Amino acid sequence: MILRVGRVRSMTWFARPEARTWRCEPAPAEVAEFHARLPGYRATPLADLPALARELRVGRVLVKDESQRLGLPAFKVLGASWAIHQALAGRTGPVRLITATDGNHGRAVARIGRLLGHPVRVFLPRGVHPAALAAIEAEGAEVVPVDGCYDVAVRRAAEASARPRAVLIQDTAWPGYEQVPGWIVEGYSTLFAELDTQLAGPPSLVAVPVGVGSLAQAAVTHYRSRPDGPALLSVEPAAASCVLTSLQRGRLTTVPTGATVMAGLNCGTPSSLAWSRLAAGLDAAVSVSDDESLAAVKDLAAFGISAGPCGAAALAGARAALSTEARRAALRIGPDSTIVLLSTEGSAANPA
């Protein structure tokens, strides 16, 4: 195994070039078919930004813009809608949907619960912006503030779900709780199915913002189920780089979290379900600072892309990953390469 670990300014880097040879089974095809039947469904746009391609010295830079996804400002509703559909199959009568969130996942669960007529209770960790709380309450959900970090909020949600007719819809997994997070990951596969349709061929690199790693798990599942997949790059805030640290140590690791504008990525523990696939299938991981993310927000806005700090982290991470010739070589990036940045939330979105 080839491990490359180092530091450039405030950023930490990990690369495992042989990850591209690892293979797994794809997500079920019926997930994209399910989403296509939902009212208001349409594929989110893929914006071509030649100026960024020149900056990064590649052939094309494309931004998958998730600022408007089924009426919400982030991709999270793809996972929430499919998981709730699966979790409620065969059930009769109302249930209470329960989750913990930093914003967008909880809002997505609240939206689907409202549409289906089920009450929703959402646990919010300390430090969530008041606008995120208000947006969730506007969906009709009960919000329960938690005096603790995201991991503490998840534990509170799990405890509350032990009551009769309560169902936990959580986007992180731990031993004994993996089925629902697995459905959420399957839900995210629609994003990558859309990319297949929108691109003439496979990209060279896909940059994925990472919190607990569920979206990155969906990327690994999609692209490592085929022989011609791209390099996959995870991007995290320097204040909470749990996946990067786990990759460096070779085991799932919890890290302390700190304040960051990338609140939706401010997670201390990778999903146990995601971890094995990330360890096997990610080519590289990088952490970025708040200043780098905010600069990316501003730059994307200048190109007409609405991106919050979590979504813009993909651009900040790509800049970090392509900052040296050694890194470019590890990712097999050249002047004709196509880079896809997953902009996971709009600028007005609440953190994911």
Side-chain angles (χ1 to χ4, degrees):
M1 177 182 292
I2 300 173
L3 301 181
R4 302 179 184 181
V5 180
R7 289 187 179 272
V8 174
R9 303 195 306 277
S10 63
M11 300 173 294
T12 306
W13 165 259
F14 171 97
R16 182 178 175 271
E18 65 269 30
R20 212 170 311 188
T21 64
W22 185 75
R23 295 290 175 264
C24 63
E25 293 297 315
E30 60 263 31
V31 179
E33 297 167 0
F34 164 80
H35 287 131
R37 295 192 297 269
L38 295 179
Y41 169 79
R42 64 177 179 84
T44 54
L46 188 64
D48 198 337
L49 301 181
L52 284 181
R54 290 192 293 272
E55 175 197 333
L56 296 176
R57 296 184 289 122
V58 295
R60 299 178 78 189
V61 171
L62 303 163
V63 177
K64 183 66 167 164
D65 181 359
E66 293 290 311
S67 61
Q68 290 293 327
R69 172 64 81 174
L70 288 167
L72 292 175
F75 75 101
K76 292 282 190 174
V77 69
L78 290 174
S81 59
W82 175 249
I84 291 170
H85 170 73
Q86 293 290 88
L88 299 187
R91 285 180 175 264
T92 59
V95 301
R96 182 178 298 279
L97 304 176
I98 295 178
T99 194
T101 187
D102 280 318
N104 280 324
H105 170 71
R107 186 177 178 186
V109 172
R111 170 68 62 88
I112 300 301
R114 177 170 63 82
L115 292 175
L116 296 177
H118 298 290
V120 177
R121 179 177 294 161
V122 181
F123 289 80
L124 261 66
R126 182 177 55 235
V128 170
H129 196 281
L133 186 155
I136 294 169
E137 288 184 326
E139 300 290 348
E142 174 193 0
V143 172
V144 182
V146 174
D147 187 18
C149 66
Y150 174 79
D151 287 0
V152 174
V154 170
R155 288 198 293 272
R156 288 284 306 279
E159 291 165 359
S161 70
R163 298 171 184 172
R165 301 200 66 79
V167 178
L168 182 64
I169 306 294
Q170 199 57 56
D171 56 349
T172 187
W174 55 88
Y177 182 76
E178 294 182 329
Q179 186 176 50
V180 170
W183 287 329
I184 288 174
V185 172
E186 287 180 355
Y188 297 156
S189 67
T190 293
L191 186 157
F192 300 101
E194 291 175 0
L195 277 172
D196 288 345
T197 301
Q198 292 169 316
L199 289 169
S204 309
L205 171 70
V206 178
V208 188
V210 166
V212 299
S214 295
L215 181 60
Q217 179 188 350
V220 169
T221 300
H222 185 79
Y223 289 114
R224 297 298 176 248
S225 64
R226 56 189 64 191
D228 58 351
L232 298 174
L233 171 73
S234 71
V235 185
E236 295 171 281
S241 53
C242 61
V243 169
L244 175 57
T245 301
S246 296
L247 290 169
Q248 290 174 337
R249 296 183 180 180
R251 65 183 186 278
L252 192 150
T253 302
T254 296
V255 301
T257 58
T260 173
V261 296
M262 294 168 276
L265 309 182
N266 195 15
C267 303
T269 306
S271 166
S272 65
L273 187 66
W275 167 241
S276 62
R277 295 214 166 184
L278 302 185
L282 278 178
D283 293 75
V286 70
S287 64
V288 297
S289 70
D290 281 4
D291 287 346
E292 289 155 343
S293 174
L294 290 173
V297 168
K298 182 177 179 181
D299 292 342
L300 289 172
F303 297 125
I305 303 294
S306 172
C310 295
L315 172 57
R319 284 169 164 164
L322 303 181
S323 62
T324 72
E325 292 305 317
R327 293 182 178 189
R328 297 172 77 92
L331 295 171
R332 306 179 199 174
I333 298 301
D336 299 321
S337 296
T338 295
I339 311 300
V340 172
L341 310 177
L342 302 188
S343 182
T344 52
E345 63 168 12
S347 59
N350 302 303

